[in-house]
Amino acid sequence: MLKHAVLPYLLGAGLLAGAPLAHAASNLVFCSEGSPAGFDPGQYTTSTDFDASAETVFNRLSQFERGGTAVIPGLATRWDISDDGLSYTFHLREGVQFHSTDYFKPSRPFNADDVLFTFNRMLDRNLPFRKAYPTEFPYFTDMGMDKNIVKLEKLDEHTVRFTLASVDAAFIQNMAMSFASIQSAEYAEQLLKQGKPADINQKPIGTGPFVFAKYQKDAQIRFKGNKTYWQPQDVKIDNLIFAITTDPSVRMQKLKKNECQITLFPRPADLKSLEADPNLNLPHQAGFNLGYIAYNVTDPIKGTTAPNPMAQLKVRQALDMAVNKQQIIDAVYQGAGQLAVNAMPPTQWSYDDTIKDVPYDPAKAKALVHEAGVREGTEITLWAMPVQRPYNPNARLMAEMIQADWAKIGIKASIVSYEWGEYMKRAKAGENGAMLIGWSGDNGDPDNWLGTLYGCDAVNGNNFSKWCDPAYDALIKQAKATPDQARRTELYKQAQHIIKAQVPITPIAHSTVYQPMRKTVQDFKISPFGLNAFYGVSVSQ
């Protein structure tokens, strides 16, 4: 519970307007790093969007344990898998209530119809709701689930069955991911009748621990604790407020002043002062993440007519070996990062530690550019994220350092940036040149890296290189359809050698994740997947 002295500030800032004054409600303010693009988890792929929707408003059939990678029951109490691995039968939890708000009053509890609506709108472009509100579901399609789920059946009110075309060894983990959050079929029907289907992305309704109340872009998101949550012991906060604060220095100042109780992504330069503050805790752990440069191999790049030098392997090899990674680790991560070599982190099972980096060699890189027939002073764009991410604490500085590195080999990089949502939208459309991006693992399975980020199915989603190698793709698809982990590991290691040789990306770093918070925050757990969940969390005096 916040001390009374803090409430006047919160009320003055409008964060808790309307909160009852008769008692000190349990309130938690989270200084988040950016505005979500929307509140329908199925449409997005970033933690900024998932924190504001999947982790607050929604649940999934299976879920990850808080702070861990183990899969536990969610809206399904259990599931049965057929002997051939192609059929998954989910037994649904009974008596779970959808949120009741001023814009929707449910008439029934959660049931099989909600599961069918959630996945059929991703599977069927002719579904009336999908036709009325055309949108894409990048995570779902990036993993090929739109092709692999061949049948979805309602066996009764509390039982559903998914039938797959081929074995998916990570299917249960995938169903626990944010994009698979369960929507209300009844709410969707209401929106369709009202002619407002897009409201599913602006006024969310779920079964989760917090109920959406209000959103002011670039300012705040307000949620109320769900008093009818099916796991009531997990709702210990009356009001959860996301105070959107893009500047990392301002986030830390607010934390120190108790204007927010928890935040994320401190600058490496701020760590010492945060550790010295007696009112703060600074838990941290090795990040299950990767920051990298993606090279758009499309020729020409969308929206341009000039030849794309990055379509040539020799040019990508040159750009890769011209990047002084150690200088970037020292300047950008300042001791809170580890040099990356491979296309996923070394803590991921099946990581091939025999793969080594090509040494930093600007002279050889310049010779390769010449061999490729690329003239001195050739221009490319280098996209830099406008926000901090777990895998990159300062994309602008990193971009400036890479720009200087590439200038030494005759490549002139122009730094480009957009608002975060626009950045992702344009990149997925293929407008990017070289691009700073990264990933925090979402489910603990190698396919979440090697398929989701670099596979052919992901070319219109998170594969920002737009690189599609048939031999590579065949290996990762075979691995995904193989139940035996040892065999999967062999296949994934072969795939890692191909991606290293073809250089669609330059791995830069794996960061250490720090989560600064007030000592009044109780039982918050750092997610290995880079998410922020506040169920089970409380604030003491």
Side-chain angles (χ1 to χ4, degrees):
M1 187 177 296
L2 294 183
K3 294 180 180 179
H4 291 281
V6 184
L7 289 176
Y9 166 81
L10 295 173
L11 290 165
L15 294 178
L16 295 178
L21 296 178
H23 70 285
S26 176
N27 308 305
L28 189 150
V29 182
F30 169 54
C31 280
S32 61
E33 86 289 10
S35 295
F39 295 88
D40 175 5
Q43 295 189 41
Y44 304 108
T45 61
T46 79
S47 59
T48 303
D49 302 300
F50 294 154
D51 284 351
S53 58
E55 293 301 309
T56 50
V57 177
F58 293 97
N59 295 119
R60 290 147 292 286
L61 294 178
S62 57
Q63 297 191 168
F64 293 108
E65 65 178 357
R66 196 160 58 93
T69 60
V71 178
I72 60 175
L75 291 178
T77 57
R78 60 187 175 91
W79 44 85
D80 306 317
I81 306 172
S82 62
D83 291 341
D84 62 7
L86 296 177
S87 177
Y88 287 77
T89 303
F90 290 88
H91 303 273
L92 307 183
R93 193 176 298 276
E94 298 186 30
V96 174
Q97 300 295 324
F98 278 99
H99 299 160
S100 181
T101 68
D102 58 358
Y103 52 88
F104 177 68
K105 308 291 183 188
S107 67
R108 61 163 177 80
F110 156 76
N111 66 24
D113 293 333
D114 304 305
V115 180
L116 264 63
F117 168 73
T118 297
F119 290 96
N120 279 334
R121 73 186 182 121
M122 295 192 270
L123 289 164
D124 184 4
R125 292 181 179 275
N126 293 316
L127 194 74
F129 192 90
R130 177 83 174 266
K131 291 178 75 173
Y133 178 44
T135 189
E136 298 301 320
F137 301 95
Y139 226 137
F140 189 71
T141 54
D142 283 2
M143 295 193 296
M145 294 181 78
D146 57 325
K147 299 181 181 70
N148 201 33
I149 297 174
V150 293
K151 185 187 283 187
L152 175 55
E153 304 168 87
K154 173 184 175 180
L155 303 186
D156 59 43
E157 287 295 299
H158 297 102
T159 316
V160 296
R161 177 180 295 151
F162 291 79
T163 303
L164 309 183
S166 61
V167 172
D168 180 350
F171 188 72
I172 292 296
Q173 288 95 322
N174 293 342
M175 297 295 277
M177 292 166 62
S178 297
F179 77 89
S181 295
I182 301 299
Q183 301 275 357
S184 164
E186 186 182 17
Y187 180 48
E189 184 179 356
Q190 173 184 301
L191 292 177
L192 203 55
K193 288 179 179 178
Q194 294 173 343
K196 298 178 179 180
D199 276 3
I200 201 170
N201 194 30
Q202 299 302 320
K203 297 179 177 180
I205 291 291
T207 59
F210 296 97
V211 180
F212 176 83
K214 184 179 181 182
Y215 173 44
Q216 292 175 275
K217 185 175 172 61
D218 299 329
Q220 62 167 291
I221 316 169
R222 289 168 42 85
F223 305 91
K224 292 189 177 296
N226 181 4
K227 301 303 183 185
T228 62
Y229 191 48
W230 54 274
Q231 287 188 305
Q233 70 276 12
D234 279 347
V235 182
K236 300 177 180 179
I237 301 167
D238 293 318
N239 298 286
L240 172 63
I241 304 97
F242 282 33
I244 299 166
T245 312
T246 57
D247 187 313
S249 297
V250 176
R251 288 200 299 272
M252 300 312 131
Q253 290 168 13
K254 286 185 175 182
L255 183 70
K256 289 182 176 183
K257 294 177 182 178
N258 200 22
E259 293 172 7
C260 60
Q261 288 71 55
I262 187 166
T263 188
L264 71 178
F265 308 155
R267 298 180 310 167
D270 289 332
L271 294 176
K272 284 188 178 180
S273 68
L274 292 170
E275 287 176 332
D277 192 316
N279 297 309
L280 303 181
N281 283 328
L282 191 62
H284 59 278
Q285 63 188 34
F288 189 50
N289 60 40
L290 170 67
Y292 61 94
I293 308 167
Y295 301 112
N296 189 339
V297 303
T298 309
D299 193 14
I301 291 173
K302 185 176 180 181
T304 69
T305 55
N308 174 18
M310 291 179 292
Q312 296 190 59
L313 175 58
K314 284 185 177 179
V315 174
R316 298 197 302 274
Q317 289 172 327
L319 295 173
D320 178 74
M321 70 176 65
V323 175
N324 191 329
K325 290 187 185 181
Q326 191 57 56
Q327 282 192 353
I328 290 174
I329 297 292
D330 294 342
V332 176
Y333 294 87
Q334 298 181 32
Q338 301 81 45
L339 198 70
V341 172
N342 211 338
M344 59 186 185
T347 48
Q348 173 64 66
W349 65 264
S350 80
Y351 180 91
D352 191 336
D353 57 12
T354 68
I355 292 175
K356 306 300 179 186
D357 247 350
V358 176
Y360 169 63
D361 192 338
K364 185 176 179 181
K366 190 167 186 177
L368 279 171
V369 171
H370 180 73
E371 287 176 26
V374 175
R375 63 177 176 79
E376 180 109 5
T378 290
E379 296 185 10
I380 62 173
T381 59
L382 173 58
W383 286 33
M385 297 168 293
V387 296
Q388 280 184 293
R389 306 304 302 147
Y391 47 75
N392 191 333
N394 192 336
R396 182 73 192 190
L397 175 58
M398 185 183 292
E400 289 169 353
M401 295 181 73
I402 294 169
Q403 180 186 52
D405 286 339
W406 288 348
K408 295 173 185 174
I409 66 168
I411 299 295
K412 184 178 179 181
S414 174
I415 298 174
V416 173
S417 192
Y418 297 95
E419 181 272 331
W420 180 234
E422 190 71 10
Y423 186 88
M424 296 297 290
K425 180 180 177 182
R426 287 174 178 264
K428 286 179 180 179
E431 297 176 22
N432 59 294
M435 176 184 178
L436 294 184
I437 194 63
W439 193 251
S440 293
D442 280 326
N443 68 6
D445 193 88
D447 182 71
N448 187 239
W449 300 90
L450 301 181
T452 300
L453 301 183
Y454 320 115
C456 294
D457 288 337
V459 160
N460 294 317
N462 288 309
N463 183 342
F464 298 110
S465 301
K466 310 302 176 188
W467 173 76
C468 176
D469 183 287
Y472 173 89
D473 214 55
L475 284 168
I476 61 169
K477 285 183 174 174
Q478 185 182 349
K480 188 177 181 182
T482 302
D484 180 68
Q485 185 165 315
R487 178 58 181 155
R488 291 186 77 198
T489 295
E490 291 175 16
L491 295 166
Y492 284 134
K493 284 186 174 182
Q494 292 176 45
Q496 289 166 68
H497 281 272
I498 293 175
I499 197 170
K500 192 66 177 177
Q502 291 299 310
V503 202
I505 68 165
T506 290
I508 300 291
H510 311 290
S511 73
T512 302
V513 175
Y514 290 84
Q515 191 93 44
M517 64 187 73
R518 305 287 299 182
K519 287 186 174 178
T520 52
V521 175
Q522 306 295 319
D523 205 28
F524 180 90
K525 297 183 183 298
I526 298 177
S527 163
F529 305 133
L531 300 171
N532 291 279
F534 298 97
Y535 62 94
V537 178
S538 61
V539 182
S540 63
Q541 284 189 334

